[in-house]
Amino acid sequence: MTPKEGKERAAARALAILALRPGDAARALIASAYVFVVIAVYIAVKAVRDSLFLGKFGAIKLPYAIIGVAIGVSLFVAVYLRIARRVSPTTLGVGTLLFFAGNLTFFWWAARFDPPWLFPVVFVWGGIYGVVGPAQAWTLINDVFTTREAKRAFGAIGAGGIAGGICGGWLASWISPRIGTVNVLLVLAALLAVAAWLALVLGRRRLPASRGAERAPRHLPESLRLVAGSPHLRLIAAMVLLAALATAIADYQFQAIAASRLKGDTLTSFFGAFYAAVGAVSLALQLFLAGRLFRWIGLAGAILVMPLSMFGATIALIPTLSLWAAVLVKGSDTVLKHSIDRSSRELAYLPVSRTVKIHVKSAIDMVVDRMGDGLAGGLLLFLTGALALSVRGLAVVNLVFIALWTAAAIAVGRSYVGELSRSIAEGRAQPATWDEGLASAETIGALRGALRSGDEARAEAALSLLAENPDWDLAEPLRKLAAEGSPALRARALAILLDPSRHGPAPGVGSTLDAEDKTLLAECIDLLVAEESEQRQRVTATILDRAGGEARGAWVALLLRRLGP
């Protein structure tokens, strides 16, 4: 084997591990690097801003900062959306990142003079960047991949984001004791300049504008009306709001306990090490457990993992108020938020029509989630100020919010089952991301029910969805449909069973072939082994005449691809 062949084989193995195809690889790697840098900066900024603010003002002022973040995000997003309607996504992304890099450079310079407003502004700025930076990255990435490509590439890109969180936490932990917490801001400004360059490179690979015209953005009030008009979306919004309240209170507890035990650059290093560690655990969960968990317990069970974990950790915090217990509470939040809980939330949107999905998700993320943060800040101000509750008292109160969050999650799981069955029957279920493409127990059950229903329209819709998701294993009902269904359904089922993008022909598929199918199979083999052009033309004409229909011809073509070199 030559060195060139060795490199080609190694590249092919790497693409297979990442579930990518050669045509996806360059864009996916650039997108993964882009998300890596954006998330790395966000995690490092969180460690730096929290340490600077707590060192200057202590935990007592945190509620004001949390309220400031909610207000700051609202104002910034309002301006951002106005600009977004006037410039291209690439220009917007590059310009915003360079603007953020300039902000960090200014903060680093202003720190020399120690103005009293600086660290609160840095805290609010970190909250704004945490909302806009990652959301902007995923918006640009969505314009670079088709739906089918996205389902292959987004797993690798998402892993890049989690890896960025690990490295961002490690960077803050390692570098802050060596150069000082304030000087880390300048390093992060340089990284944002790199992110802007990656956004520019990625933006040059955007799909034609005609694709985007199908989902032209709506105004935010209209998106909110869509949420209000759907019982399923209302439940998701309620769950997101309660989760934001509970996690904000847990974050306050974590920061207050950490600030009471650690100071200065040591506190920054601790925050950075914490975010690096939870990022590593989150990556392991996403790679090795998420898919299996959804197959075992479905969305209805997976969506309860985070609130139940936080409930148990909060109970452990109440009697001890120790740093390890606070780490357990915050770790339950951070580890699961970026792995199982994120996938659960994404999967909950699967029944929603793709034409409105992006708009209602944006409305819930930008308005409802931020509203939860703002309410949490006001509630913390009232509880710690007017009622003078301690961290222990806040933990008891938070148990109530976590319980309400759990109840909302249960309701979402129940609603999801009914909505999913209806959306499959109506052809609305179209997975657009890696998370939505997870083969949850509910998805597989709903598809199996549609295939066995005897309703040709429902079965046809289920087959269309299965054809787009080759990793979903429903070989048994497909074989039954291929053997006993109508001619059109038999052809579609056989096409899926013989699809070359699947790992191999489903066992027992040969038993579904009738005499005519077997004749076609023999003729396909004759075509592949024919050497003379006249013989190939003669056999091809025979196959096309015998195929008898567009659907039938489709599975014959797939069969030829399966048999071919």
Side-chain angles (χ1 to χ4, degrees):
M1 183 172 62
T2 66
K4 182 179 180 181
E5 290 174 336
K7 291 179 181 179
E8 289 176 351
R9 288 190 179 183
R13 283 196 296 269
L15 291 177
I17 292 171
L18 296 172
L20 296 175
R21 295 181 181 176
D24 307 335
R27 285 172 297 157
L29 291 175
I30 295 170
S32 184
Y34 176 30
V35 174
F36 175 93
V37 176
V38 167
I39 299 299
V41 170
Y42 171 55
I43 294 300
V45 161
K46 282 182 68 176
V48 169
R49 68 153 198 182
D50 292 351
S51 176
L52 292 175
F53 186 89
L54 291 169
K56 185 80 171 181
F57 300 102
I60 193 67
K61 300 294 184 182
L62 267 177
Y64 295 100
I66 295 171
I67 295 172
V69 169
I71 296 172
V73 167
S74 300
L75 295 176
F76 188 91
V77 167
V79 175
Y80 178 87
L81 291 176
R82 286 181 177 272
I83 297 174
R85 288 195 278 270
R86 292 172 171 80
V87 300
S88 71
T90 304
T91 302
L92 182 67
V94 173
T96 304
L97 288 169
L98 291 176
F99 173 73
F100 283 148
N103 295 159
L104 285 176
T105 304
F106 171 75
F107 296 152
W108 169 79
W109 173 81
R112 300 179 180 185
F113 309 102
D114 194 26
W117 51 264
L118 179 61
F119 295 160
V121 170
V122 171
F123 192 98
V124 172
W125 180 94
I128 294 172
Y129 173 78
V131 172
V132 175
Q136 177 180 259
W138 283 107
T139 298
L140 180 57
I141 289 168
N142 274 320
D143 283 341
V144 175
F145 295 93
T146 65
T147 299
R148 183 181 283 268
E149 291 169 342
K151 284 181 287 186
R152 292 194 300 266
F154 278 23
I157 297 171
I162 298 175
I166 298 170
C167 292
W170 174 83
L171 176 67
S173 176
W174 182 81
I175 203 173
S176 57
R178 289 165 173 79
I179 66 174
T181 298
V182 169
N183 291 322
V184 177
L185 295 173
L186 196 59
V187 176
L188 300 181
L191 287 176
L192 282 180
V194 173
W197 174 74
L198 289 169
L200 180 63
V201 173
L202 192 64
R204 290 172 178 168
R205 299 170 181 262
R206 289 178 63 227
L207 295 172
S210 58
R211 173 180 176 268
E214 296 177 4
R215 50 179 182 84
R218 300 170 182 264
H219 294 295
L220 190 57
E222 186 176 354
S223 299
L224 290 172
R225 283 194 292 271
L226 289 172
V227 174
S230 166
H232 182 63
L233 292 175
R234 288 200 302 270
L235 287 172
I236 293 176
M239 181 186 69
V240 168
L241 179 69
L242 290 165
L245 278 166
T247 54
I249 294 174
D251 188 50
Y252 174 89
Q253 295 166 344
F254 171 69
Q255 294 188 54
I257 292 173
S260 69
R261 289 161 173 78
L262 303 169
K263 305 295 179 185
D265 295 337
T266 305
L267 182 59
T268 308
S269 182
F270 166 76
F271 282 144
F274 168 80
Y275 288 124
V278 298
V281 177
S282 181
L283 179 61
L285 284 179
Q286 189 72 358
L287 292 177
F288 303 115
L289 183 62
R292 293 181 177 89
L293 190 69
F294 281 95
R295 287 193 295 272
W296 294 337
I297 62 176
L299 174 124
I303 207 168
L304 295 175
V305 171
M306 183 171 165
L308 292 178
S309 298
M310 286 191 64
F311 193 90
T314 302
I315 289 176
L317 175 68
I318 291 172
T320 64
L321 294 183
S322 61
L323 185 57
W324 71 263
V327 165
L328 188 61
V329 174
K330 181 62 178 175
S332 300
D333 167 15
T334 310
V335 166
L336 296 169
K337 178 182 289 183
H338 299 293
S339 56
I340 294 170
D341 192 66
R342 186 201 66 183
S343 296
S344 298
R345 289 197 194 187
E346 290 289 320
L347 195 57
Y349 289 104
L350 178 57
V352 180
S353 171
R354 191 165 183 264
T355 58
V356 302
K357 187 180 300 183
I358 189 173
H359 310 300
V360 297
K361 285 172 67 174
S362 297
I364 290 174
D365 289 343
M366 287 193 303
V367 177
V368 179
D369 207 356
R370 301 284 74 77
M371 184 186 300
D373 291 339
L375 290 174
L379 183 63
L380 284 168
L381 195 60
F382 173 73
L383 294 175
T384 59
L387 299 185
L389 284 186
S390 63
V391 172
R392 180 176 284 111
L394 288 175
V396 174
V397 171
N398 206 26
L399 287 176
V400 176
F401 287 111
I402 296 173
L404 292 172
W405 170 14
T406 304
I410 292 172
V412 169
R414 290 174 177 171
S415 172
Y416 174 77
V417 175
E419 288 291 319
L420 182 63
S421 296
R422 283 191 291 273
S423 68
I424 289 175
E426 297 169 6
R428 290 186 287 111
Q430 295 178 308
T433 67
W434 183 85
D435 294 304
E436 290 182 6
L438 288 170
S440 72
E442 294 93 348
T443 304
I444 298 302
L447 287 169
R448 184 178 288 113
L451 293 175
R452 293 173 172 172
S453 66
D455 184 325
E456 185 149 347
R458 284 184 64 193
E460 180 73 24
L463 289 170
S464 297
L465 190 55
L466 275 172
E468 292 292 321
N469 296 276
D471 292 332
W472 293 357
D473 184 13
L474 282 158
E476 185 274 326
L478 281 172
R479 284 197 301 269
K480 185 178 174 77
L481 200 60
E484 303 174 4
S486 67
L489 292 180
R490 288 190 67 243
R492 289 296 303 276
L494 281 167
I496 293 170
L497 288 167
L498 295 166
D499 188 345
S501 65
R502 294 176 181 267
H503 299 302
V509 67
S511 64
T512 67
L513 301 175
D514 59 18
E516 185 180 358
D517 295 327
K518 291 174 181 176
T519 301
L520 275 169
L521 174 61
E523 289 168 347
C524 287
I525 295 173
D526 288 341
L527 176 61
L528 291 170
V529 300
E531 295 182 358
E532 298 179 3
S533 60
E534 291 184 3
Q535 182 185 3
R536 293 179 67 88
Q537 291 175 5
R538 185 170 60 255
V539 177
T540 300
T542 302
I543 290 173
L544 292 176
D545 289 340
R546 192 184 296 277
E550 183 178 338
R552 185 73 162 200
W555 88 258
V556 170
L558 285 167
L559 181 59
L560 284 167
R561 286 179 61 196
R562 171 67 76 185
L563 294 170

PDB file of all heavy atoms in Angstrom, residues 256-274:
ATOM      1  N   ALA A 256     -22.328  31.726  44.860  1.00  0.00           N
ATOM      2  CA  ALA A 256     -22.237  32.254  46.228  1.00  0.00           C
ATOM      3  C   ALA A 256     -21.358  31.362  47.095  1.00  0.00           C
ATOM      4  O   ALA A 256     -20.510  31.854  47.861  1.00  0.00           O
ATOM      5  CB  ALA A 256     -23.634  32.373  46.827  1.00  0.00           C
ATOM      6  N   ILE A 257     -21.532  30.067  47.019  1.00  0.00           N
ATOM      7  CA  ILE A 257     -20.740  29.137  47.836  1.00  0.00           C
ATOM      8  C   ILE A 257     -19.278  29.157  47.389  1.00  0.00           C
ATOM      9  O   ILE A 257     -18.363  29.169  48.220  1.00  0.00           O
ATOM     10  CB  ILE A 257     -21.335  27.721  47.765  1.00  0.00           C
ATOM     11  CG1 ILE A 257     -22.704  27.696  48.463  1.00  0.00           C
ATOM     12  CG2 ILE A 257     -20.404  26.703  48.410  1.00  0.00           C
ATOM     13  CD1 ILE A 257     -23.456  26.393  48.316  1.00  0.00           C
ATOM     14  N   ALA A 258     -19.042  29.170  46.077  1.00  0.00           N
ATOM     15  CA  ALA A 258     -17.663  29.197  45.574  1.00  0.00           C
ATOM     16  C   ALA A 258     -16.964  30.486  45.985  1.00  0.00           C
ATOM     17  O   ALA A 258     -15.794  30.470  46.409  1.00  0.00           O
ATOM     18  CB  ALA A 258     -17.657  29.049  44.058  1.00  0.00           C
ATOM     19  N   ALA A 259     -17.660  31.638  45.903  1.00  0.00           N
ATOM     20  CA  ALA A 259     -17.050  32.924  46.248  1.00  0.00           C
ATOM     21  C   ALA A 259     -16.760  33.035  47.740  1.00  0.00           C
ATOM     22  O   ALA A 259     -15.861  33.786  48.146  1.00  0.00           O
ATOM     23  CB  ALA A 259     -17.964  34.065  45.810  1.00  0.00           C
ATOM     24  N   SER A 260     -17.496  32.298  48.551  1.00  0.00           N
ATOM     25  CA  SER A 260     -17.243  32.352  49.994  1.00  0.00           C
ATOM     26  C   SER A 260     -16.015  31.546  50.396  1.00  0.00           C
ATOM     27  O   SER A 260     -15.516  31.693  51.511  1.00  0.00           O
ATOM     28  CB  SER A 260     -18.463  31.828  50.750  1.00  0.00           C
ATOM     29  OG  SER A 260     -18.627  30.435  50.546  1.00  0.00           O
ATOM     30  N   ARG A 261     -15.503  30.722  49.487  1.00  0.00           N
ATOM     31  CA  ARG A 261     -14.368  29.854  49.813  1.00  0.00           C
ATOM     32  C   ARG A 261     -13.118  30.139  48.983  1.00  0.00           C
ATOM     33  O   ARG A 261     -12.012  29.787  49.396  1.00  0.00           O
ATOM     34  CB  ARG A 261     -14.766  28.383  49.633  1.00  0.00           C
ATOM     35  CG  ARG A 261     -15.737  27.910  50.704  1.00  0.00           C
ATOM     36  CD  ARG A 261     -16.457  26.645  50.270  1.00  0.00           C
ATOM     37  NE  ARG A 261     -17.283  26.085  51.346  1.00  0.00           N
ATOM     38  CZ  ARG A 261     -18.480  26.559  51.707  1.00  0.00           C
ATOM     39  NH1 ARG A 261     -18.961  27.642  51.103  1.00  0.00           N
ATOM     40  NH2 ARG A 261     -19.163  25.992  52.691  1.00  0.00           N
ATOM     41  N   LEU A 262     -13.279  30.761  47.807  1.00  0.00           N
ATOM     42  CA  LEU A 262     -12.138  31.016  46.925  1.00  0.00           C
ATOM     43  C   LEU A 262     -12.127  32.482  46.510  1.00  0.00           C
ATOM     44  O   LEU A 262     -13.174  33.128  46.436  1.00  0.00           O
ATOM     45  CB  LEU A 262     -12.241  30.127  45.679  1.00  0.00           C
ATOM     46  CG  LEU A 262     -12.329  28.619  45.928  1.00  0.00           C
ATOM     47  CD1 LEU A 262     -12.703  27.899  44.639  1.00  0.00           C
ATOM     48  CD2 LEU A 262     -11.033  28.069  46.486  1.00  0.00           C
ATOM     49  N   LYS A 263     -10.931  32.997  46.192  1.00  0.00           N
ATOM     50  CA  LYS A 263     -10.797  34.416  45.844  1.00  0.00           C
ATOM     51  C   LYS A 263      -9.888  34.592  44.639  1.00  0.00           C
ATOM     52  O   LYS A 263      -9.042  33.745  44.336  1.00  0.00           O
ATOM     53  CB  LYS A 263     -10.209  35.211  47.020  1.00  0.00           C
ATOM     54  CG  LYS A 263     -10.967  35.081  48.336  1.00  0.00           C
ATOM     55  CD  LYS A 263     -12.368  35.662  48.247  1.00  0.00           C
ATOM     56  CE  LYS A 263     -13.115  35.496  49.586  1.00  0.00           C
ATOM     57  NZ  LYS A 263     -14.522  35.955  49.476  1.00  0.00           N
ATOM     58  N   GLY A 264     -10.062  35.735  43.951  1.00  0.00           N
ATOM     59  CA  GLY A 264      -9.143  36.176  42.916  1.00  0.00           C
ATOM     60  C   GLY A 264      -8.948  35.198  41.779  1.00  0.00           C
ATOM     61  O   GLY A 264      -9.891  34.550  41.306  1.00  0.00           O
ATOM     62  N   ASP A 265      -7.665  35.092  41.334  1.00  0.00           N
ATOM     63  CA  ASP A 265      -7.358  34.212  40.211  1.00  0.00           C
ATOM     64  C   ASP A 265      -7.640  32.754  40.541  1.00  0.00           C
ATOM     65  O   ASP A 265      -7.923  31.949  39.640  1.00  0.00           O
ATOM     66  CB  ASP A 265      -5.881  34.358  39.816  1.00  0.00           C
ATOM     67  CG  ASP A 265      -5.565  35.749  39.273  1.00  0.00           C
ATOM     68  OD1 ASP A 265      -6.497  36.422  38.797  1.00  0.00           O
ATOM     69  OD2 ASP A 265      -4.385  36.156  39.332  1.00  0.00           O
ATOM     70  N   THR A 266      -7.581  32.390  41.819  1.00  0.00           N
ATOM     71  CA  THR A 266      -7.908  31.023  42.225  1.00  0.00           C
ATOM     72  C   THR A 266      -9.368  30.708  41.919  1.00  0.00           C
ATOM     73  O   THR A 266      -9.706  29.594  41.486  1.00  0.00           O
ATOM     74  CB  THR A 266      -7.650  30.824  43.726  1.00  0.00           C
ATOM     75  OG1 THR A 266      -6.299  31.177  44.017  1.00  0.00           O
ATOM     76  CG2 THR A 266      -7.907  29.383  44.151  1.00  0.00           C
ATOM     77  N   LEU A 267     -10.255  31.700  42.115  1.00  0.00           N
ATOM     78  CA  LEU A 267     -11.666  31.509  41.805  1.00  0.00           C
ATOM     79  C   LEU A 267     -11.866  31.340  40.295  1.00  0.00           C
ATOM     80  O   LEU A 267     -12.623  30.463  39.848  1.00  0.00           O
ATOM     81  CB  LEU A 267     -12.483  32.692  42.325  1.00  0.00           C
ATOM     82  CG  LEU A 267     -14.002  32.629  42.122  1.00  0.00           C
ATOM     83  CD1 LEU A 267     -14.597  31.404  42.809  1.00  0.00           C
ATOM     84  CD2 LEU A 267     -14.667  33.909  42.649  1.00  0.00           C
ATOM     85  N   THR A 268     -11.165  32.161  39.490  1.00  0.00           N
ATOM     86  CA  THR A 268     -11.244  32.018  38.036  1.00  0.00           C
ATOM     87  C   THR A 268     -10.767  30.641  37.602  1.00  0.00           C
ATOM     88  O   THR A 268     -11.397  29.975  36.764  1.00  0.00           O
ATOM     89  CB  THR A 268     -10.380  33.088  37.347  1.00  0.00           C
ATOM     90  OG1 THR A 268     -10.709  34.374  37.841  1.00  0.00           O
ATOM     91  CG2 THR A 268     -10.586  33.059  35.834  1.00  0.00           C
ATOM     92  N   SER A 269      -9.648  30.189  38.193  1.00  0.00           N
ATOM     93  CA  SER A 269      -9.104  28.876  37.855  1.00  0.00           C
ATOM     94  C   SER A 269     -10.082  27.764  38.222  1.00  0.00           C
ATOM     95  O   SER A 269     -10.265  26.802  37.460  1.00  0.00           O
ATOM     96  CB  SER A 269      -7.773  28.668  38.574  1.00  0.00           C
ATOM     97  OG  SER A 269      -7.200  27.424  38.240  1.00  0.00           O
ATOM     98  N   PHE A 270     -10.752  27.915  39.370  1.00  0.00           N
ATOM     99  CA  PHE A 270     -11.736  26.915  39.791  1.00  0.00           C
ATOM    100  C   PHE A 270     -12.904  26.853  38.817  1.00  0.00           C
ATOM    101  O   PHE A 270     -13.318  25.765  38.391  1.00  0.00           O
ATOM    102  CB  PHE A 270     -12.238  27.234  41.193  1.00  0.00           C
ATOM    103  CG  PHE A 270     -13.482  26.472  41.576  1.00  0.00           C
ATOM    104  CD1 PHE A 270     -13.417  25.135  41.926  1.00  0.00           C
ATOM    105  CD2 PHE A 270     -14.730  27.096  41.561  1.00  0.00           C
ATOM    106  CE1 PHE A 270     -14.555  24.426  42.259  1.00  0.00           C
ATOM    107  CE2 PHE A 270     -15.877  26.391  41.896  1.00  0.00           C
ATOM    108  CZ  PHE A 270     -15.787  25.049  42.240  1.00  0.00           C
ATOM    109  N   PHE A 271     -13.438  28.030  38.456  1.00  0.00           N
ATOM    110  CA  PHE A 271     -14.554  28.061  37.510  1.00  0.00           C
ATOM    111  C   PHE A 271     -14.142  27.421  36.179  1.00  0.00           C
ATOM    112  O   PHE A 271     -14.888  26.632  35.580  1.00  0.00           O
ATOM    113  CB  PHE A 271     -15.028  29.488  37.268  1.00  0.00           C
ATOM    114  CG  PHE A 271     -15.880  30.052  38.367  1.00  0.00           C
ATOM    115  CD1 PHE A 271     -15.788  31.391  38.726  1.00  0.00           C
ATOM    116  CD2 PHE A 271     -16.780  29.261  39.049  1.00  0.00           C
ATOM    117  CE1 PHE A 271     -16.575  31.926  39.733  1.00  0.00           C
ATOM    118  CE2 PHE A 271     -17.579  29.784  40.065  1.00  0.00           C
ATOM    119  CZ  PHE A 271     -17.477  31.115  40.415  1.00  0.00           C
ATOM    120  N   GLY A 272     -12.951  27.768  35.699  1.00  0.00           N
ATOM    121  CA  GLY A 272     -12.484  27.204  34.435  1.00  0.00           C
ATOM    122  C   GLY A 272     -12.337  25.690  34.503  1.00  0.00           C
ATOM    123  O   GLY A 272     -12.757  24.973  33.589  1.00  0.00           O
ATOM    124  N   ALA A 273     -11.739  25.181  35.600  1.00  0.00           N
ATOM    125  CA  ALA A 273     -11.578  23.736  35.755  1.00  0.00           C
ATOM    126  C   ALA A 273     -12.934  23.045  35.843  1.00  0.00           C
ATOM    127  O   ALA A 273     -13.123  21.951  35.283  1.00  0.00           O
ATOM    128  CB  ALA A 273     -10.746  23.439  37.003  1.00  0.00           C
ATOM    129  N   PHE A 274     -13.877  23.680  36.524  1.00  0.00           N
ATOM    130  CA  PHE A 274     -15.222  23.105  36.636  1.00  0.00           C
ATOM    131  C   PHE A 274     -15.866  22.973  35.267  1.00  0.00           C
ATOM    132  O   PHE A 274     -16.386  21.904  34.904  1.00  0.00           O
ATOM    133  CB  PHE A 274     -16.090  23.976  37.553  1.00  0.00           C
ATOM    134  CG  PHE A 274     -17.548  23.625  37.513  1.00  0.00           C
ATOM    135  CD1 PHE A 274     -18.033  22.553  38.234  1.00  0.00           C
ATOM    136  CD2 PHE A 274     -18.444  24.364  36.749  1.00  0.00           C
ATOM    137  CE1 PHE A 274     -19.380  22.204  38.195  1.00  0.00           C
ATOM    138  CE2 PHE A 274     -19.787  24.040  36.702  1.00  0.00           C
ATOM    139  CZ  PHE A 274     -20.253  22.955  37.431  1.00  0.00           C
TER     140      PHE A 274
END
